[in-house]
């Protein structure tokens, strides 16, 4: 179509059984030039919802391409290593172009009701998960970067996209009145720092890393606390894919939203 469409050989999306993750899978497959490989991971691929949503919608659209709903918690080291090995097998000699760390959880706690358990659980999924995934898929991302011509960084070459949230912005403190959710906010602020660290460490390998705020989206997570968010999954994912197609080396280590605007840290 008009402005640069995202053009990648392979993508992995975590948290793909519903919400934004499922939206990513669908929109990637609807691209004029869809990726040859779309890998999906979700917590419980045997769960009925995952089967229904991924089975009928995503896999039906796939045709001759392949998606795998790989089991495993978003931050379980053994299942992450197994997923990386499996993806590597499918890709053969080529690397992975794009890792979208989308899996995330929220619990609608206030400052008074947070506990050691909720802080730890949310941090483990939202922050440690993307760290471990970056480590596990680094060899495949490096391989993709090496196999891609040109010197600049881009999502078509090799990239880690961490789906963050404006809720983690210390400057904005967005929607504090509606939702305190300190564990979620802390985990996303920490994810933003992880993104910065990854961008610095992985730049020499030709890998672009940035954090992306999808908007406040009408998903199960977005509707926490009984709110009706303003942005649809469809609009958010379309916007994010447009951002992915247009960012370059200067954007590595930044925090952008689904419309391409800079979000303050």
């Amino acid at each position: 179509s008009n402005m640069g469409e995202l053009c990648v050989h392979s993508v992995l999306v975590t948290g793909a059984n519903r919400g934004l993750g499922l939206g990513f899978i669908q929109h990637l497959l609807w691209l004029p030039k869809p990726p040859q490989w779309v890998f999906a991971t979700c917590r419980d691929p045997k769960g009925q919802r995952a089967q229904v949503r991924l089975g009928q919608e995503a896999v039906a659209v796939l045709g001759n391409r392949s998606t795998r709903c790989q089991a495993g918690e978003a931050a379980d080291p053994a299942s992450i290593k197994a997923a990386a090995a499996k993806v590597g097998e499918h890709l053969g000699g080529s690397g992975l172009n794009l890792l979208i760390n989308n899996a995330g959880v929220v619990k609608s706690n206030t400052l008074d009701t947070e506990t050691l358990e909720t802080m730890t659980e949310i941090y483990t999924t939202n922050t440690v998960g993307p760290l471990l995934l970056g480590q596990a898929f680094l060899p495949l991302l490096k391989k993709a970067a090496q196999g891609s011509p040109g010197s600049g960084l881009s999502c078509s070459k090799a990239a880690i996209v961490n789906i963050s949230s404006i809720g983690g912005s210390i400057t904005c403190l967005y929607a504090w009145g509606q939702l305190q959710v300190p564990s979620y906010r802390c985990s996303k602020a920490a994810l933003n720092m992880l993104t910065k660290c990854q961008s610095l460490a992985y730049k020499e390998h030709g890998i672009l890393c940035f954090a992306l705020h999808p908007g406040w989206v009408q998903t199960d997570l977005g509707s926490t606390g009984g709110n009706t968010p303003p942005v649809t999954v469809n609009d958010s994912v379309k916007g994010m894919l447009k951002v992915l197609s247009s960012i370059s080396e200067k954007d590595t280590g930044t925090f952008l939203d689904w419309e391409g605007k800079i979000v303050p840290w």
Side-chain angles (χ1 to χ4, degrees):
S1 72
N2 42 26
M3 66 165 284
E5 288 282 356
L6 187 65
C7 194
V8 291
H9 178 256
S10 56
V11 189
L12 183 139
V13 182
T14 69
N17 57 314
R18 60 182 191 171
L20 287 173
L22 184 64
F24 267 120
I25 299 287
Q26 290 171 326
H27 280 267
L28 286 162
L29 296 171
W30 293 336
L31 287 171
K33 284 192 199 151
Q36 200 170 337
W37 289 98
V38 177
F39 298 96
T41 75
C42 60
R43 226 178 309 192
D44 180 17
K46 304 221 163 29
Q48 211 169 353
R49 285 186 70 177
Q51 288 294 6
V52 169
R53 307 290 285 276
L54 267 171
Q56 289 162 9
E57 296 175 45
V59 182
V61 187
L62 274 165
N64 62 355
R65 288 172 300 281
S66 175
T67 186
R68 297 278 180 276
C69 196
Q70 179 77 23
E73 292 295 317
D76 173 53
S79 69
I80 286 171
K81 285 193 176 109
K86 197 161 235 180
V87 168
E89 273 168 42
H90 285 296
L91 289 173
S94 64
L96 178 72
N97 297 114
L98 189 53
L99 169 61
I100 301 178
N101 284 319
N102 164 73
V105 286
V106 67
K107 294 227 161 126
S108 55
N109 288 331
T110 62
L111 199 53
D112 296 342
T113 59
E114 291 290 7
T115 61
L116 171 64
E117 288 72 27
T118 59
M119 288 297 288
T120 308
E121 179 197 339
I122 305 296
Y123 188 82
T124 300
T125 299
N126 293 2
T127 313
V128 183
L131 166 83
L132 297 177
L133 282 148
Q135 290 173 338
F137 284 94
L138 182 61
L140 288 170
L141 289 158
K142 276 185 186 173
K143 200 184 269 188
Q146 284 155 7
S148 172
S151 56
L153 305 186
S154 78
C155 287
S156 300
K157 184 176 189 169
I160 297 174
V161 179
N162 291 325
I163 303 300
S164 185
S165 168
I166 198 170
S169 164
I170 292 169
T171 306
C172 293
L173 260 179
Y174 183 78
W176 174 258
Q178 292 100 308
L179 274 177
Q180 288 191 3
V181 292
S183 54
Y184 181 76
R185 290 178 186 277
C186 292
S187 74
K188 292 299 192 181
L191 177 63
N192 289 347
M193 176 54 94
L194 171 69
T195 306
K196 193 58 135 176
C197 295
Q198 288 174 326
S199 75
L200 295 169
Y202 298 162
K203 187 175 183 176
E204 64 179 288
H205 303 304
I207 302 163
L208 188 152
C209 307
F210 77 110
L212 192 51
H213 165 54
W216 193 2
V217 187
Q218 294 164 14
T219 60
D220 290 353
L221 187 151
S223 306
T224 301
N227 296 289
T228 304
V231 186
T232 65
V233 169
N234 200 34
D235 287 345
S236 171
V237 173
K238 275 208 305 224
M240 288 192 286
L241 288 176
K242 197 168 162 185
V243 172
L244 295 192
S245 72
S246 61
I247 63 170
S248 61
E249 188 146 344
K250 66 176 174 23
D251 303 298
T252 198
T254 60
F255 184 17
L256 302 173
D257 72 9
W258 62 291
E259 295 176 303
K261 299 191 188 88
I262 288 179
V263 183
W265 298 112

